[in-house]
Amino acid sequence: MRVLHVDTQQLRRYGRTRVSWAQKLGFGLIKNDHYLQSFSDRDVAAFEAPFGIRDLGVGKANKRLLEMADAMEPDLVIAGHCDTISNETLSEIKRRRPATIIVHCNNDPLFVPSNVERIRSRAAVVDAVFVSTGLKELKQFEGLGARIYHMPNPIEASVECLDNSTKTDLEIDLLFCSNSTNLTKRLEMVGNIKDAVKDEMNFMTYGSFGEAPVWGRDYDRALAKTKMGLNLNRQEGDYWYSSARMAQLAGNGILLFTSSAPRFDELLPPESAVYFDDEASLLAKIREFQGDDAKRQHWASRTRDFFHREINSTLYAQFIVEASLEMPFSHDYVWVQNIAGNGVAQ
């Protein structure tokens, strides 16, 4: 199959970033033997603009995408986070090639109002929408024209290549990485935990409390030294929603602590992720696993094995292709539960 994937590829960061879910999707498509062409919308807009001012190149980027679609003749167009590309351009691709399936993949949280509007807008012109929040939260998008599906945050074996569950001589006991200095409830809780365990363990909080954030290979090096990590979102509670942090920790054999509110216990096997209800229960469980390294290794190993076996980039890409084209599923995807014909949960 010929696939045109439209999403920012972060070309102008020149490697100073973490491999994104969009790049993992590309890896998975290639592993499934699809012919892939990528269109990095923001970079094209900047490259085509006078003086490299991206906003001045938006119109040209849309024209270039139409040129690429005409030349490539894709069977499937996947539009990710590509706000420089208009709905009119996607509709024009469909007008020129009526047999081409066009879908939107959205990996941002629904607690951001502008993202809800983005999904609603795209759903009016595409055939299907894939969202990283679970299906129970997606009924609000019914009736807009597109089929709605949940998609997970996958691991990619060439990226999440560590297995810290086999190691005991790790320098960082607990890790939380972010790039936010706002005093949120999340950061307040991290600060309280940091104060509580400062004499018990090495808790690194890159990107918070004056510590510089880590990117690219520096992030890889931090993960390589870590036993346990906090999977904390800006807000908790949306069904099956997590940032890509969950896959990055789990896929590298780092024991992850995550809120019980999103109900990942319905998706992940027992004795894998560690769930907490509030700050007190989180602190108690951190201390429990810090004091029992064999238990930490066992749970982290089970989580890593599950993600590498069932939530990997190959299955992720295969699912998106099959759901987009309304093909019978070739695998019993663990995240596909109670899906109706239109993709929405019953």
Side-chain angles (χ1 to χ4, degrees), residues 104-172:
H104 172 52
C105 288
N106 189 295
N107 204 51
D108 283 346
L110 298 184
F111 54 72
V112 177
S114 62
N115 191 48
V116 173
E117 291 307 310
R118 180 181 298 111
I119 294 171
R120 296 181 68 87
S121 175
R122 290 298 198 207
V125 300
V126 301
D127 296 289
V129 175
F130 298 83
V131 185
S132 58
T133 300
L135 286 171
K136 290 182 181 179
E137 310 284 351
L138 303 184
K139 288 183 178 291
Q140 61 185 297
F141 304 116
E142 286 185 281
L144 298 177
R147 289 171 281 117
I148 309 295
Y149 299 92
H150 167 65
M151 65 178 188
N153 267 299
I155 66 92
E156 158 56 40
S158 66
V159 177
E160 280 79 34
C161 57
L162 304 171
D163 188 358
N164 290 10
S165 71
T166 65
K167 302 175 183 177
T168 57
D169 57 339
L170 295 165
E171 177 182 329
I172 299 173

Side-chain angles (χ1 to χ4, degrees), residues 35-339:
Y35 173 74
L36 175 67
Q37 287 281 4
S38 297
F39 185 92
S40 188
D41 65 304
R42 297 179 195 177
D43 294 310
V44 172
F47 294 151
E48 294 280 358
F51 310 109
I53 301 173
R54 189 175 74 193
D55 288 349
L56 300 180
V58 169
K60 196 64 173 290
N62 280 264
K63 291 180 181 178
R64 292 299 193 195
L65 179 59
L66 288 173
E67 289 179 24
M68 190 166 184
D70 285 342
M72 183 193 167
E73 300 181 350
D75 302 299
L76 174 63
V77 174
I78 301 174
H81 294 181
C82 52
D83 288 348
T84 61
I85 302 304
S86 69
N87 277 359
E88 289 73 22
T89 295
L90 297 179
S91 295
E92 179 61 17
I93 293 174
K94 191 74 168 182
R95 187 191 70 79
R96 296 182 186 187
R97 295 189 54 79
T100 296
I101 300 298
I102 303 178
V103 304
H104 172 52
C105 288
N106 189 295
N107 204 51
D108 283 346
L110 298 184
F111 54 72
V112 177
S114 62
N115 191 48
V116 173
E117 291 307 310
R118 180 181 298 111
I119 294 171
R120 296 181 68 87
S121 175
R122 290 298 198 207
V125 300
V126 301
D127 296 289
V129 175
F130 298 83
V131 185
S132 58
T133 300
L135 286 171
K136 290 182 181 179
E137 310 284 351
L138 303 184
K139 288 183 178 291
Q140 61 185 297
F141 304 116
E142 286 185 281
L144 298 177
R147 289 171 281 117
I148 309 295
Y149 299 92
H150 167 65
M151 65 178 188
N153 267 299
I155 66 92
E156 158 56 40
S158 66
V159 177
E160 280 79 34
C161 57
L162 304 171
D163 188 358
N164 290 10
S165 71
T166 65
K167 302 175 183 177
T168 57
D169 57 339
L170 295 165
E171 177 182 329
I172 299 173
D173 297 304
L174 186 63
L175 178 71
F176 176 69
C177 293
S178 72
N179 190 31
S180 174
T181 56
N182 296 328
L183 185 57
T184 59
K185 289 184 178 179
R186 175 178 70 169
L187 199 58
E188 181 180 351
M189 181 168 68
V190 171
N192 291 340
I193 297 289
K194 192 176 180 73
D195 288 342
V197 303
K198 62 184 178 182
D199 296 327
E200 305 171 42
M201 64 188 76
N202 182 19
F203 180 14
M204 297 301 299
T205 53
Y206 296 109
S208 303
F209 313 114
E211 298 178 44
V214 285
W215 302 99
R217 293 296 287 159
D218 289 335
Y219 183 55
D220 293 336
R221 281 186 277 270
L223 292 176
K225 297 185 289 186
T226 297
K227 291 181 182 179
M228 306 181 294
L230 300 183
N231 179 52
L232 305 178
N233 301 301
R234 284 174 287 163
Q235 294 183 31
E236 301 289 3
D238 282 3
Y239 188 65
W240 283 11
Y241 172 75
S242 171
S243 70
R245 187 184 288 109
M246 173 178 272
Q248 293 163 6
L249 295 172
N252 283 307
I254 298 169
L255 182 70
L256 68 93
F257 298 88
T258 193
S259 170
S260 60
R263 297 310 306 270
F264 281 111
D265 60 306
E266 297 178 4
L267 178 66
L268 306 181
E271 298 186 0
S272 55
V274 183
Y275 305 104
F276 65 88
D277 299 320
D278 52 28
E279 182 180 312
S281 68
L282 173 58
L283 179 58
K285 291 182 179 184
I286 289 170
R287 284 171 166 157
E288 175 187 350
F289 281 90
Q290 173 70 1
D292 189 342
D293 208 40
K295 186 175 182 178
R296 185 269 304 178
Q297 290 180 279
H298 171 67
W299 283 50
S301 176
R302 283 177 54 81
T303 315
R304 184 185 188 276
D305 177 70
F306 180 78
F307 269 81
H308 277 259
R309 186 180 69 252
E310 297 293 347
I311 311 183
N312 59 63
S313 64
T314 305
L315 291 176
Y316 171 68
Q318 179 176 288
F319 163 74
I320 288 175
V321 169
E322 291 172 352
S324 297
L325 275 62
E326 299 184 88
M327 299 168 61
F329 291 142
S330 61
H331 183 82
D332 186 14
Y333 304 107
V334 295
W335 62 87
V336 176
Q337 299 179 14
N338 304 319
I339 287 186

Side-chain angles (χ1 to χ4, degrees), residues 21-34:
W21 68 273
Q23 290 169 302
K24 291 179 180 180
L25 174 56
F27 296 155
L29 289 166
I30 292 169
K31 289 179 180 180
N32 282 303
D33 296 329
H34 297 295

